[in-house]
Structure formats: C-alpha cells, structure tokens
Amino acid sequence: AAVKLKVAGVPEHFNAPWHIARDRGLFAKENIELEWNDYPGGTGAMTKALNDGSTDIAVLLTEGIVKDIATGGSSKIVGVYVQSSLCWGIHTGAQQEDINSVASLQGKTWAVSRMTSGSHLMAVVLAKQQGWDVSGLEYKVVGNLDGAKQALLAGDAHGFLWEKFTTKPLVDAGHFRRVGEIPTPWPCFVIAVRNETLANHGAEVKKVLEIVAKQCAEFKADPKAVAYIAENYKLEASDVAEWFKTVEWAANPLAVDDAMLLQVGTTLKELAILEDAPDPASLKGLL
C-alpha cells in the first residue's frame, strides 16, 4: 500500500514545484500518496499542525520552526527548501497618510498573523534594527493576509510585514502602501518533519525531498515557469520575473548548515524570543 504523507505549506509561489511534482505523478510513482494542505495562516499555524499531528511535513520559515523546536515542539528540520533570503515588504494601509516611512511606524501597532509567526518575529527584527524599544511593541493578531488587509484598512493596525511579491497585488490595487523592505539574514524556507513521521517513514520523506529538489531545479530552468506562476498565483508576470531572478531553491536540500541554525538561534536570543540559542544538533533530524 502507498505511504500517505501530509504536507503543509503557504499558498504562495515558492511552493509551485510541490504541486507540479504531485500533478506529474512523481510521488505516486514512488508509492507515496502526498496530500498537500494550504496553510494561509503561515508558519505559526504550521508549527501547531506539526505538534498536534495534523501534518507530517511542513515547508516553513526557518526562524519560526527554530523557535518552535527550541520551546518543545515535536518535529525536526530535515532540509533547506529555499536557500535565498525572503524579502519582507513593510506595509501600511494606503489611507494611513501619517505613515510614509519605516521611521513613522515607531510606536505603532503591528498586524501579525499570530504570535511567534514570521510576521511577528520580523517585526521584532525590524524594531531592533531601527533601534526601537522591542519590549514596547504592540500587536494585533489578524490570522492571515486577508485579516491584515482588513486591519490596515480599518486603521486597527498600522504596520504589517509579509513577503513583498505576495502582497504586491494589494499594493497595486491601492489597499496597502509599501514603505520599505527587510530581508531575512538567512535561508528563508526549511522543511520540517514530525518526529513520529521521521521515525516511521524516514526513507519516504527522503525520497520526497529528492523529488522536490529535482523538480525545483527543472522549474528554475524552465522558460515557462514565470507564466505558470503568474497564472496560478494571480501575480503580474513582470513581478514574477523579478522575484524569479532572486529565488534560489536548495540544490542539496539535505545539507542543513549548523552555522546558519546557530545564527538564527543567536538572533532569537538577542531578540529575547528565546532564552538561549539552541544547539543546532537538537534542531536537526537526519534522513
């Protein structure tokens, strides 16, 4: 019988190769039944799913999963998915005229998808970078991108951090205004697997990562890739082309760099999100 694996990820352009590989039957050919589930709530929602067993595998933000495992989460990082850093747009509501720069967001309320999500952690990274008092940051939990749109338009929150190409349609439509951007200082997406799944189906998980890495490499070289993403993710082809130049999927996903994990852990410690930087070995699962 086929081994069934549930995979969680955001409904964003980064994850296109997973869908293409599944549609081509590449997992089924290896006797793996891969069920993809979209998590618009992002990394915070996915760490919860890993911990309660509603997903086996998750493609999520590096800093979010490091934080979760370090605070007792029941999964391990098994691979790097996107090697390049994530460019976060710093947004406000288009009608919030008093906010016209990053500096003008000091002391304002940040929309976050949930606490400890990427949108929350990066607000802390930004505040630290700007020299603001991190302990004084105020948040409004909005659930997902749609919730953020409502909060910024209503003026219930003033700032919001999200991947800049995903929010570009909202900027173009006049809902959001982008006042700056901030890149994550490390590879942005990693693949985490629930401990139980790692113990029972490690070989299948490894196969999945190999299939996806190969599909990513093919996709990056495919002249039709930009059109595919523009159509499937409702983005402008010119924006996709710009993003496509910057994105780098991991060629060797199983090589998870200890120094990188230490950098993430140390940053989270500096931001007072973790008490100590975790030992990289405690975060990694070997396939």
Side-chain angles (χ1 to χ4, degrees):
V3 170
K4 186 173 183 188
L5 293 172
K6 291 183 176 179
V7 183
V10 287
E12 292 173 18
H13 42 291
F14 291 92
N15 287 324
W18 287 84
H19 300 284
I20 296 167
R22 186 196 55 196
D23 295 347
R24 288 176 64 195
L26 301 183
F27 303 115
K29 206 158 72 185
E30 297 291 342
N31 223 6
I32 295 165
E33 186 190 331
L34 188 123
E35 179 192 303
W36 177 275
N37 294 295
D38 279 332
Y39 279 74
T43 293
M46 288 186 270
T47 54
K48 186 175 176 299
L50 282 167
N51 293 331
D52 69 20
S54 46
T55 193
D56 296 300
I57 302 173
V59 184
L60 68 195
L61 293 172
T62 309
E63 58 274 24
I65 188 63
V66 166
K67 150 106 182 33
D68 188 71
I69 296 171
T71 50
S74 52
S75 68
K76 293 283 181 284
I77 297 167
V78 295
V80 174
Y81 178 56
V82 176
Q83 189 66 48
S84 42
S85 73
L86 192 69
C87 190
W88 294 79
I90 306 164
H91 309 85
T92 189
Q95 81 301 345
Q96 299 196 31
E97 283 160 18
D98 54 325
I99 294 167
N100 45 34
S101 65
V102 176
S104 54
L105 281 162
Q106 184 171 4
K108 302 290 191 196
T109 299
W110 292 90
V112 298
S113 53
R114 57 185 66 214
M115 297 308 279
T116 79
S117 66
S119 49
H120 169 219
L121 297 184
M122 286 306 289
V124 180
V125 170
L126 177 69
K128 183 103 172 163
Q129 207 182 62
Q130 294 287 321
W132 302 340
D133 173 16
V134 172
S135 63
L137 289 173
E138 305 226 348
Y139 305 102
K140 178 165 179 61
V141 177
V142 297
N144 54 26
L145 185 52
D146 204 40
K149 176 182 159 185
Q150 290 166 25
L152 290 189
L153 289 176
D156 297 336
H158 313 104
F160 176 61
L161 288 154
W162 208 257
E163 198 269 328
K164 77 166 189 177
F165 290 103
T166 305
T167 52
K168 182 77 168 36
L170 290 168
V171 172
D172 291 344
H175 302 304
F176 285 1
R177 211 154 23 78
R178 193 168 69 227
V179 295
E181 44 192 62
I182 178 174
T184 39
W186 43 70
C188 57
F189 284 110
V190 292
I191 298 169
V193 177
R194 199 172 141 67
N195 293 340
E196 202 181 318
T197 307
L198 204 51
N200 298 333
H201 299 297
E204 287 83 3
V205 171
K206 186 176 183 179
K207 196 81 215 163
V208 166
L209 264 64
E210 286 166 357
I211 290 169
V212 171
K214 191 162 178 277
Q215 182 62 63
C216 289
E218 285 177 25
F219 191 61
K220 182 75 181 173
D222 184 351
K224 297 197 280 294
V226 168
Y228 175 92
I229 287 184
E231 187 183 338
N232 283 279
Y233 294 89
K234 308 285 174 269
L235 298 169
E236 292 292 332
S238 57
D239 292 332
V240 176
E242 188 191 330
W243 167 76
F244 207 68
K245 285 202 289 265
T246 65
V247 70
E248 191 189 325
W249 285 283
N252 179 8
L254 299 175
V256 184
D257 182 32
D258 282 1
M260 180 272 285
L261 292 177
L262 195 59
Q263 184 196 3
V264 175
T266 305
T267 304
L268 294 176
K269 182 190 173 181
E270 283 171 4
L271 299 174
I273 289 166
L274 290 178
E275 280 178 32
D276 291 296
D279 172 5
S282 68
L283 303 169
K284 295 202 305 191
L286 293 176
L287 288 175

